[in-house]
Amino acid sequence: MGRVANVAGTQEPVYGPSAIQSVAKQAETTPYTEIQTQDLRWTAMESTSVETQTFYLIADSGHIAMAQVIYSNVAGIQTTVQFNTKIFYPGRSRPPLWSSDPLEGCGFDDRKLSFYADGCAISLNDDATSYSVKSATNEASIVNIKVSRSTPGFQVGSDGKSFFGTDPQHPWGSMRHVFWPRCRVEGSIITKDGDIDFKGGGFFIHALQGMKPHHAAARWNFEAFQSSTYSAVMMEYTTPPSYGSTVVNVGGIAKDGEIVYAGATNSAQHIETKGDPETNWPEPGAIRLLWDGKTQSGQVVKAELAGSLEQRLDRIDVMAKVPGFVKTLVGGVVGTMPYIYQVRLRRDSMTTFFWFGVD
């Protein structure tokens, strides 16, 4: 079993919570910084890492979609790049449409702000306010969209990074998230059943896991809220026991032209677990999300989003091609949950609460 764990990359010593330097420490003095052009550069590490740019699209028609590039490096030996799209249809009128294709001929512009590959391009415009996302890598979903930020982007702390390692001066891993929390979207995705107009809203996240992903995080909670007035986003992960099961939460609230609040003093709670009898994993049944901080002018900001969840939109088996006994190892040894549950709040049970005041 030990040898299997070594092959799967699941074994790691218990370093304790002192071996992670959470971005929350930065946020104590610098809650967040607005994104500058250089903050949007691809890192493209030459060691084990996973870097993603993900565009979330919320169409006026009720369609929801994701377009994503995943840039992965394994031990500095092999780099693979994948382009993924996923479309959810209004009212569950049909199953989600999922497309995932390996990319060839990959590269970046001179400043590493734009990515290209055969049949695919993600281009940042000159003033760093919009991305063009085009892909003809899969005839099932041909992507041609433009995502423009309607508020400044942000990263929590001074650089958005948490570091992993027993020597803070020489960390062996990192985690970073950059957000455009509120965007305007135009363009379409062409499917075999016709064009889908994605005019509407959305948001964008650039993420880097600068180490083995399952060594950095064992559990994730990722939530987003979009309305005509406000947008809110939250990314929370819990490290494996090797780093003390430390919780790191970054997020923020925005409206057109303004970041209302961003920081690391947020929380995501599963207030009800209904479980998944097919996998025996703790699928959430109800959630409570809390954002708690201050505006740049010192006003207290408190926001809550809570309610029961609808029947899940989808369940993703992250390790679909891994044998069952290895999957059990990863869950038991590392504590990593190998399933992603994509859900949405029931409108008839959802409660929202925003409060602004002076401390």
Side-chain angles (χ1 to χ4, degrees):
M1 296 289 278
R3 290 181 181 176
V4 173
N6 287 332
V7 171
T10 57
Q11 285 192 329
E12 194 173 28
V14 176
Y15 305 110
S18 63
I20 175 173
Q21 293 79 55
S22 169
V23 71
K25 187 67 177 176
Q26 296 181 30
E28 291 175 2
T29 54
T30 306
Y32 72 93
T33 50
E34 291 191 5
I35 294 303
Q36 305 301 313
T37 301
Q38 64 270 18
D39 296 315
L40 297 169
R41 295 180 69 232
W42 284 85
T43 303
M45 291 177 62
E46 296 182 358
S47 57
T48 298
S49 58
V50 178
E51 188 169 8
T52 60
Q53 285 195 339
T54 309
F55 301 85
Y56 296 91
L57 321 173
I58 304 169
D60 293 341
S61 63
H63 293 83
I64 299 173
M66 172 199 78
Q68 177 188 63
V69 167
I70 302 180
Y71 187 98
S72 304
N73 186 298
V74 180
I77 299 171
Q78 182 181 16
T79 297
T80 60
V81 187
Q82 201 87 1
F83 185 79
N84 301 325
T85 60
K86 191 168 194 176
I87 301 173
F88 295 99
Y89 290 86
R92 304 175 189 273
S93 56
R94 62 181 65 189
L97 176 62
W98 166 253
S99 301
S100 182
D101 299 277
L103 299 179
E104 303 292 340
C106 303
F108 304 93
D109 67 348
D110 291 341
R111 300 176 65 191
K112 283 191 173 179
L113 292 171
S114 298
F115 167 86
Y116 61 84
D118 295 343
C120 181
I122 298 180
S123 305
L124 183 67
N125 69 349
D126 291 340
D127 60 359
T129 57
S130 69
Y131 278 98
S132 167
V133 182
K134 297 183 178 182
S135 175
T137 57
N138 193 312
E139 292 183 356
S141 51
I142 299 173
V143 180
N144 184 6
I145 59 170
K146 180 181 178 181
V147 178
S148 305
R149 61 177 176 85
S150 52
T151 190
F154 74 87
Q155 58 192 0
V156 170
S158 57
D159 62 8
K161 294 180 180 178
S162 294
F163 293 99
F164 296 75
T166 52
D167 181 354
Q169 301 305 313
H170 301 91
W172 57 59
S174 64
M175 182 85 78
R176 178 174 184 254
H177 292 92
V178 170
F179 302 91
W180 282 5
R182 188 171 177 86
C183 298
R184 301 180 307 278
V185 177
E186 55 187 286
S188 66
I189 298 179
I190 302 173
T191 72
K192 292 182 177 179
D193 293 317
D195 293 15
I196 300 175
D197 184 356
F198 270 94
K199 180 181 181 297
F203 58 100
F204 162 72
I205 300 176
H206 188 155
L208 172 65
Q209 298 181 64
M211 57 193 298
K212 293 178 181 178
H214 60 283
H215 283 180
R219 297 170 182 256
W220 289 89
N221 284 302
F222 166 48
E223 295 86 14
F225 171 81
Q226 299 282 325
S227 75
S228 59
T229 308
Y230 289 102
S231 299
V233 64
M234 181 186 297
M235 185 76 74
E236 179 185 277
Y237 63 91
T238 304
T239 70
S242 50
Y243 296 99
S245 299
T246 301
V247 177
V248 180
N249 187 309
V250 293
I253 301 169
K255 59 183 180 180
D256 284 344
E258 180 184 348
I259 299 171
V260 177
Y261 151 79
T265 49
N266 320 299
S267 65
Q269 304 170 19
H270 295 190
I271 56 178
E272 177 187 316
T273 300
K274 61 183 179 183
D276 181 350
E278 295 180 15
T279 63
N280 292 320
W281 292 94
E283 179 181 355
I287 59 172
R288 181 170 180 251
L289 313 173
L290 300 172
W291 290 261
D292 189 353
K294 292 183 179 180
T295 66
Q296 285 190 323
S297 63
Q299 278 191 313
V300 173
V301 178
K302 294 184 183 293
E304 176 180 316
L305 181 63
S308 299
L309 300 173
E310 294 181 355
Q311 178 186 352
R312 63 174 176 261
L313 297 172
D314 201 4
R315 180 186 63 211
I316 301 170
D317 186 346
V318 178
M319 306 175 72
K321 296 183 180 180
V322 174
F325 74 97
V326 175
K327 191 180 301 183
T328 302
L329 260 178
V330 173
V333 178
V334 181
T336 300
M337 299 298 183
Y339 296 98
I340 296 173
Y341 291 92
Q342 294 179 318
V343 296
R344 64 189 299 175
L345 283 166
R346 285 175 43 194
R347 289 184 177 273
D348 60 355
S349 74
M350 182 175 67
T351 60
T352 57
F353 170 76
F354 286 89
W355 186 80
F356 301 88
V358 179
D359 192 6

